[in-house]
Amino acid sequence: MFKYLPHTHEDIAAMLKTIGVDDIDALFGDVPKSLRNQEIKIPNSLSEIEMHQHFYTLSKMNTPLIPFMGAGAYDHYTPSVIRHLIERQEFLTAYTPYQPEISQGTLQYIFEFQSMITQLTGLDVANASMYDGATATGEAMFMACALAKKETIFISRTVNPNIINVVKTYAEYKGIHVEMIEEEAGQTSRAALQEKLASTPTAGLIVQTPNVYGFLEDLTGVKEALEQHKALLIINQDPSTLSHLKTPHAWGADIAIGECQTLGVPLSFGGPYIGYMATRTKYMRKMPGRICGVTKDTDGKRAFVLTLQAREQHIRRDKANSNICSNQSLLALFVTIYMSIMGKKGVYEVQQRSYDNAHYLYEKLLALPTFSAYADQPFFKEFTVRTTLDVSAMNQALQAAGYLGPLPFSKFDSSKQDLVTFALTEKRTKQEIDAVLDIIREVA
Amino acid sequence: MYYDKLIFDLSTEGRKGYTLPKAEVKRYDLPKSTYLRDDCPGLPEVSELEVVRHYTNVSFKNFGIEKGFYPLGSCTMKYNPKINQDMANLPAFASLHPYQPIDTVQGVLKVYHDTQTWLSEISGLDTFTLNPYAGAHGELIGLMIIKAYHRDRGDSKRTKIIVPDSAHGTNPASATVAGLESVEVKSNPDGTVNLADLKAVLGDDIAGIMLTNPNTVGIFEKDILEIARLVHEAGGLLYYDGANLNPLLGVARPGDMGFDIMHINLHKTFSTPHGGGGPGSGPVGVTKALKPYLPKPVVEKQGDQYVIIDEPKTTLGQISHFYGNIGVVLKAYTYILSMGREHLPEIAKYSTLNANYIKESLKDVYQLPIEGICKHEFVFDGLKDKSTGVTTLDVAKRLLDFDVHPPTIFFPLVFKQTIMIEPPETESKQTIDHFISIMRQVALEASQEPDKVKGAPYNTVVKRLDEALAARKPIVKYKDLETN
């Protein structure tokens, strides 16, 4: 017997009798003998006590560092209530809400999530989530190409290179052509965009703000330029910054996507995170993923249900625009609770603290002879600066003191050895920032 | 009392649910107004208790595995052990930034690498990537690998992928997203691949075939070795959809059957919770010949050290921002270690025993279209007595009144009234006997009081829903409710 396997000898005997076979092996008579393989060479079963001991050893092999880096993963605080609520079995162990009468809980939080994403982005409709911000961007490309009936997409060089990589992989196999729009002083080059628009028909442009450097993109006039060429504007934006920053809707975006990890989701070595997607009502029927809507039951009572399912793979099969099925539902609940507990004021305050911390560090760094501005652009909680220091020596010194130093930008672009990108959240204290500054001064 | 409030309904101006330390750094000026929004996002303002009580009440409107039997076919709704959750939540894992230096993340990389290794051992495929986020994502990556493999051999005519008519909808959808065309082959009456049909479509334009084995009606493809030979001979590759891996644990391995590529749903076979529709995890395994196509980054062991290779010499490209859903991998890792070599091979036996027992116990009242031994799941084609007009949908809705999650319905599409039942190995004979008695009762009601079944459910928080209404006039956010 084993704790997850309840069958006793008596149970097995009675069940076999009903089935009309002599032993369990007879249930596998259709599997060719040459394939039968009953042994699985994995370690022996661990009891719970041994599991705790084993994980204690594994934990010792990890050294969590205090991050001064973002680069797509940001160390915001997770309020205690979230973990307790999302681990309620009703949420945690449920399947996709295909039986709406007993899934109103899941459906309701999806509806609340969609509502909050539309509040942040200013757009009309959001879906129930995507895997992450990068794959959401790939899906936005598919959607734009389907809407515009074109097979070219523009993407700005200032988008995080990991997102660009995912978009390029998705594009390559679907037969979509990707054109890069080059950078100018930490921004998407407007001249390069105009030039490319004049020469190449495109389904749309993908930009990110704040971009890979942390700089805010000034998108004034971009929508108009694209419209002249019947191209869509796709904005990838960290949703947490929408406490303060101009919305994708206000910039004229047709599709907004991004990574919701910044809404309190733990770093967890890169996942699970959660992508979002929002669009205009007129494009809703081409949006990938699940959408929750409102309906009534036979008594006229309000209820929630997955809607517009005719877009999706389980109905449309090879004609579907996307193959997404499982998404990041529990993480949608996570960030919905985050936005509820922090609320209108808390989300703003957290981002303001992050903004202030980042600007404090930026000011102090630029006062050092070893640091200078990379570009004179506004930023939010992440910024890129030039340094004359040996970046790896600096980061080793920081690591020795328990800090994760800035991203050496050379990880993304080997021609930029002298750039580093810092990110700060509300969790960083003045004491930590000052300590990091002291270490940096000593490296010099 | 039915709780029908939305979190926005609870909002009261000025109320808050959070605390922050005293600000130590001064406020810096914001950028010029070009960059700023001129309104405030309409998020709720609620106290901590209001949030806790709201989501607790919302949770009561859901049905989870810990409440009752969940025999959802093709979904493997087995018990999700608590210790998995505890291990995944350990701060020494949950607080790691994905770009921490290698020497500070050896523990998580060991988990990652061991999981890859064990999945290889379990499946018989050479190497795994854990980057894919879900089953459908794994399918997409697997199909990209197939396409890249043929392309690199200069064999660019191979643009078609064979998909049986009983396949999951994600299969043909993934093919389209990967830029391949799906070709449907009909099944035999017992749901298995029709070899004559298969031979007819095999040719120099076929990139490969996607199969799940046992198939979606729970029948083992006994000709799998012949299928593999035929497809390989025609120059194609075999893709294994891991949705139905559960009844093979301890029985046979896809790699040994001749599959070249597969994905595994950690949220099905390896007990990580479904979370109401994710996060899942869809590791992809390949034969040695296809290893160069795995997506980047790649985790390897070099000597005594675990390393992340951002730019492997060859790769199909990047398909996730970082390294996949690590939090989910940690749970599957804990599960594999809990089961161990002693108990993991027992999974197939008990899930298959459960399925056959239910099948034999109900086939006098439900239409069994495929006789004989099934694996972990099987299908009925509705009630045996079709004269009452009670449909599979009605049966499913009536089950809701008895605190049983209905089986999967109307899938696969090969029957009109499909009821697809999968009772995982974690379910006891008592639970299953209870389910059988309820299914019999519903069948009896269908013949004696058909209208009662057609009007179900009665005991749920809402009754049967008008799904068409939601699509006709979509209301998809709180603001739409206010204006309607």
Side-chain angles (χ1 to χ4, degrees), chain A residues 322-333:
Chain A
S322 166
N323 70 332
I324 193 163
C325 180
S326 281
N327 46 79
Q328 305 291 103
S329 191
L330 198 71
L331 275 298
L333 173 63

PDB file of all heavy atoms in Angstrom, chain A residues 322-333:
ATOM      1  N   SER A 322      -5.046  30.328 -32.749  1.00  0.00           N
ATOM      2  CA  SER A 322      -4.094  30.042 -31.690  1.00  0.00           C
ATOM      3  C   SER A 322      -4.379  28.636 -31.195  1.00  0.00           C
ATOM      4  O   SER A 322      -5.493  28.148 -31.318  1.00  0.00           O
ATOM      5  CB  SER A 322      -4.285  31.035 -30.542  1.00  0.00           C
ATOM      6  OG  SER A 322      -3.605  30.579 -29.395  1.00  0.00           O
ATOM      7  N   ASN A 323      -3.364  27.983 -30.626  1.00  0.00           N
ATOM      8  CA  ASN A 323      -3.589  26.645 -30.090  1.00  0.00           C
ATOM      9  C   ASN A 323      -3.701  26.667 -28.579  1.00  0.00           C
ATOM     10  O   ASN A 323      -3.731  25.622 -27.941  1.00  0.00           O
ATOM     11  CB  ASN A 323      -2.460  25.700 -30.521  1.00  0.00           C
ATOM     12  CG  ASN A 323      -1.155  26.034 -29.834  1.00  0.00           C
ATOM     13  OD1 ASN A 323      -0.926  27.191 -29.468  1.00  0.00           O
ATOM     14  ND2 ASN A 323      -0.300  25.052 -29.657  1.00  0.00           N
ATOM     15  N   ILE A 324      -3.729  27.864 -27.965  1.00  0.00           N
ATOM     16  CA  ILE A 324      -3.654  27.931 -26.502  1.00  0.00           C
ATOM     17  C   ILE A 324      -4.873  27.266 -25.870  1.00  0.00           C
ATOM     18  O   ILE A 324      -5.991  27.418 -26.333  1.00  0.00           O
ATOM     19  CB  ILE A 324      -3.462  29.384 -26.003  1.00  0.00           C
ATOM     20  CG1 ILE A 324      -3.063  29.377 -24.526  1.00  0.00           C
ATOM     21  CG2 ILE A 324      -4.705  30.234 -26.236  1.00  0.00           C
ATOM     22  CD1 ILE A 324      -2.458  30.690 -24.048  1.00  0.00           C
ATOM     23  N   CYS A 325      -4.608  26.484 -24.824  1.00  0.00           N
ATOM     24  CA  CYS A 325      -5.658  25.759 -24.112  1.00  0.00           C
ATOM     25  C   CYS A 325      -5.471  26.102 -22.639  1.00  0.00           C
ATOM     26  O   CYS A 325      -5.937  27.133 -22.189  1.00  0.00           O
ATOM     27  CB  CYS A 325      -5.519  24.270 -24.419  1.00  0.00           C
ATOM     28  SG  CYS A 325      -6.731  23.224 -23.642  1.00  0.00           S
ATOM     29  N   SER A 326      -4.712  25.294 -21.880  1.00  0.00           N
ATOM     30  CA  SER A 326      -4.332  25.702 -20.526  1.00  0.00           C
ATOM     31  C   SER A 326      -3.607  27.030 -20.625  1.00  0.00           C
ATOM     32  O   SER A 326      -2.813  27.236 -21.532  1.00  0.00           O
ATOM     33  CB  SER A 326      -3.389  24.686 -19.879  1.00  0.00           C
ATOM     34  OG  SER A 326      -4.099  23.592 -19.392  1.00  0.00           O
ATOM     35  N   ASN A 327      -3.880  27.931 -19.674  1.00  0.00           N
ATOM     36  CA  ASN A 327      -3.132  29.194 -19.659  1.00  0.00           C
ATOM     37  C   ASN A 327      -2.546  29.356 -18.267  1.00  0.00           C
ATOM     38  O   ASN A 327      -1.940  28.426 -17.758  1.00  0.00           O
ATOM     39  CB  ASN A 327      -4.018  30.347 -20.121  1.00  0.00           C
ATOM     40  CG  ASN A 327      -5.389  30.308 -19.458  1.00  0.00           C
ATOM     41  OD1 ASN A 327      -5.544  30.707 -18.320  1.00  0.00           O
ATOM     42  ND2 ASN A 327      -6.386  29.775 -20.169  1.00  0.00           N
ATOM     43  N   GLN A 328      -2.714  30.487 -17.626  1.00  0.00           N
ATOM     44  CA  GLN A 328      -2.117  30.672 -16.301  1.00  0.00           C
ATOM     45  C   GLN A 328      -3.222  31.087 -15.336  1.00  0.00           C
ATOM     46  O   GLN A 328      -3.080  32.030 -14.576  1.00  0.00           O
ATOM     47  CB  GLN A 328      -1.013  31.733 -16.358  1.00  0.00           C
ATOM     48  CG  GLN A 328       0.081  31.483 -17.375  1.00  0.00           C
ATOM     49  CD  GLN A 328       0.992  30.314 -17.047  1.00  0.00           C
ATOM     50  OE1 GLN A 328       0.866  29.240 -17.620  1.00  0.00           O
ATOM     51  NE2 GLN A 328       1.910  30.505 -16.128  1.00  0.00           N
ATOM     52  N   SER A 329      -4.323  30.343 -15.345  1.00  0.00           N
ATOM     53  CA  SER A 329      -5.520  30.762 -14.634  1.00  0.00           C
ATOM     54  C   SER A 329      -5.280  31.116 -13.164  1.00  0.00           C
ATOM     55  O   SER A 329      -5.714  32.158 -12.688  1.00  0.00           O
ATOM     56  CB  SER A 329      -6.572  29.653 -14.727  1.00  0.00           C
ATOM     57  OG  SER A 329      -7.803  30.110 -14.271  1.00  0.00           O
ATOM     58  N   LEU A 330      -4.568  30.237 -12.456  1.00  0.00           N
ATOM     59  CA  LEU A 330      -4.369  30.495 -11.024  1.00  0.00           C
ATOM     60  C   LEU A 330      -3.573  31.778 -10.798  1.00  0.00           C
ATOM     61  O   LEU A 330      -3.762  32.478  -9.810  1.00  0.00           O
ATOM     62  CB  LEU A 330      -3.653  29.305 -10.372  1.00  0.00           C
ATOM     63  CG  LEU A 330      -3.765  29.250  -8.853  1.00  0.00           C
ATOM     64  CD1 LEU A 330      -5.173  28.880  -8.422  1.00  0.00           C
ATOM     65  CD2 LEU A 330      -2.760  28.272  -8.273  1.00  0.00           C
ATOM     66  N   LEU A 331      -2.686  32.095 -11.741  1.00  0.00           N
ATOM     67  CA  LEU A 331      -1.927  33.344 -11.646  1.00  0.00           C
ATOM     68  C   LEU A 331      -2.821  34.543 -11.933  1.00  0.00           C
ATOM     69  O   LEU A 331      -2.591  35.633 -11.408  1.00  0.00           O
ATOM     70  CB  LEU A 331      -0.748  33.319 -12.618  1.00  0.00           C
ATOM     71  CG  LEU A 331       0.555  32.654 -12.182  1.00  0.00           C
ATOM     72  CD1 LEU A 331       1.147  33.350 -10.992  1.00  0.00           C
ATOM     73  CD2 LEU A 331       0.383  31.185 -11.880  1.00  0.00           C
ATOM     74  N   ALA A 332      -3.858  34.334 -12.748  1.00  0.00           N
ATOM     75  CA  ALA A 332      -4.831  35.415 -12.972  1.00  0.00           C
ATOM     76  C   ALA A 332      -5.537  35.713 -11.656  1.00  0.00           C
ATOM     77  O   ALA A 332      -5.763  36.879 -11.310  1.00  0.00           O
ATOM     78  CB  ALA A 332      -5.841  35.023 -14.053  1.00  0.00           C
ATOM     79  N   LEU A 333      -5.868  34.663 -10.912  1.00  0.00           N
ATOM     80  CA  LEU A 333      -6.450  34.866  -9.580  1.00  0.00           C
ATOM     81  C   LEU A 333      -5.447  35.575  -8.680  1.00  0.00           C
ATOM     82  O   LEU A 333      -5.799  36.511  -7.953  1.00  0.00           O
ATOM     83  CB  LEU A 333      -6.846  33.510  -8.973  1.00  0.00           C
ATOM     84  CG  LEU A 333      -7.318  33.549  -7.511  1.00  0.00           C
ATOM     85  CD1 LEU A 333      -8.598  34.369  -7.366  1.00  0.00           C
ATOM     86  CD2 LEU A 333      -7.550  32.115  -6.988  1.00  0.00           C
TER      87      LEU A 333
END
